[in-house]
Amino acid sequence: FEFEVIVVMDGAEEATRLVCAAAAARHSNFKAKWIPNDVYRNPSFARNIASKMACGDILIHQSDDVLHGHPHVIRQLVEQTTPQNFVIATVWNADPATLAHLVQYTGQENQRGLFFLGAVTRANYFACGGNCEEFDEPGWEDNWLEFSLTRGLRLQLVFSTDAVGLHLNHPRAPRDHFQTRMRALYVEKQRIAESANDPRAWMQEPWPYQAGRAMQEGSTSAEASGCRSSSLHQP
């Protein structure tokens, strides 16, 4: 099947923009969009924009610094994703030089619904209103998305043992302030949703299924037609 690759650059450097522009000129199924931004934040904003640009039936969300562990990751994620579930790949934090596995981020042995690399139908992602952009600083946005999909839409969370991703290890800046603030938001939203006893309380307002199509007109390349999968990256 055909697939498209969408890269949303949330304040990326000029060199990254040039690389993406060159890729878009060479490949008709490659789209790129740059968001002016000079601060670090979580992937919610970029992921939502990329998802609205997508035409595929299945969205494969992939964080920056993540490589596919083998050539068949896209096919396996697409084959395992259904309207009743969403799929998280087995992702290892890996040494950049050797790709040796350091610690498992997601998978059967560490069952966290974090989209370092994972797939969900476009219909389901739109039904829950995408990533919650109240999480405007690093952390906890994926935890809330997991609740939106499992408690809101009642989807099954599947951890793929076949699809493998490698997150290239890198230094991280201290995020104690962000973690405290975002965790407090997460706890409060959870409290409100549980007290409401309503599946919709776990989700945002749904997006119209055709929402964001106009964004495609401003993309760097033409929309891929008939694609089944959209692989979304958020540098």
Side-chain angles (χ1 to χ4, degrees):
F1 55 87
E2 293 186 12
F3 65 91
E4 61 185 350
V5 176
I6 302 172
V7 178
V8 173
M9 296 162 282
D10 195 357
E13 297 176 352
E14 183 63 20
T16 305
R17 296 176 67 181
L18 292 175
V19 167
C20 289
R26 293 195 305 269
H27 304 288
S28 61
N29 67 336
F30 186 98
K31 304 175 189 177
K33 188 174 185 65
W34 180 72
I35 308 170
N37 179 32
D38 58 3
V39 298
Y40 177 84
R41 58 185 173 187
N42 69 44
S44 297
F45 298 85
R47 188 180 290 165
N48 285 344
I49 289 173
S51 297
K52 288 180 178 181
M53 290 173 64
C55 73
D57 296 328
I58 295 174
L59 306 178
I60 298 176
H61 289 145
Q62 178 172 331
S63 296
D64 49 345
D65 304 318
V66 172
L67 304 177
H68 291 180
H70 52 78
H72 306 297
V73 168
I74 291 177
R75 176 177 61 81
Q76 290 174 335
L77 286 174
V78 168
E79 288 178 350
Q80 294 172 33
T81 303
T82 73
Q84 290 76 43
N85 72 17
F86 64 106
V87 180
I88 300 295
T90 298
V91 176
W92 293 88
N93 195 33
D95 180 84
T98 66
L99 299 185
H101 297 177
L102 302 176
V103 63
Q104 189 180 92
Y105 277 175
T106 58
Q108 288 290 348
E109 292 76 22
N110 192 10
Q111 297 190 11
R112 302 188 298 167
L114 308 180
F115 278 88
F116 286 100
L117 178 60
V120 61
T121 66
R122 185 169 180 267
N124 281 332
Y125 193 74
F126 275 40
C128 72
N131 257 123
C132 178
E133 294 182 9
E134 290 181 68
F135 296 92
D136 56 358
E137 292 176 338
W140 298 93
E141 77 288 343
D142 264 358
N143 305 76
W144 188 257
L145 179 61
E146 178 185 345
F147 275 150
S148 297
L149 298 173
T150 56
R151 301 197 185 190
L153 295 180
R154 309 294 173 86
L155 302 182
Q156 179 186 9
L157 170 52
V158 174
F159 291 95
S160 174
T161 57
D162 301 319
V164 177
L166 302 174
H167 176 272
L168 302 183
N169 186 48
H170 57 79
R172 292 171 177 78
R175 299 177 188 169
D176 292 344
H177 165 70
F178 297 141
Q179 289 288 345
T180 300
R181 181 172 174 270
M182 293 297 96
R183 186 179 187 282
L185 174 62
Y186 170 79
V187 170
E188 178 63 11
K189 286 174 67 68
Q190 185 177 14
R191 183 191 66 78
I192 293 172
E194 287 178 339
S195 64
N197 195 29
D198 178 2
R200 273 253 51 106
W202 296 98
M203 299 179 283
Q204 303 181 102
E205 287 302 309
W207 299 339
Y209 195 70
Q210 294 299 320
R213 289 292 183 175
M215 297 178 65
Q216 308 225 18
E217 298 172 4
S219 63
T220 326
S221 64
E223 175 181 343
S225 61
C227 58
R228 186 177 175 199
S229 169
S230 302
S231 183
L232 316 178
H233 302 251
Q234 311 99 21

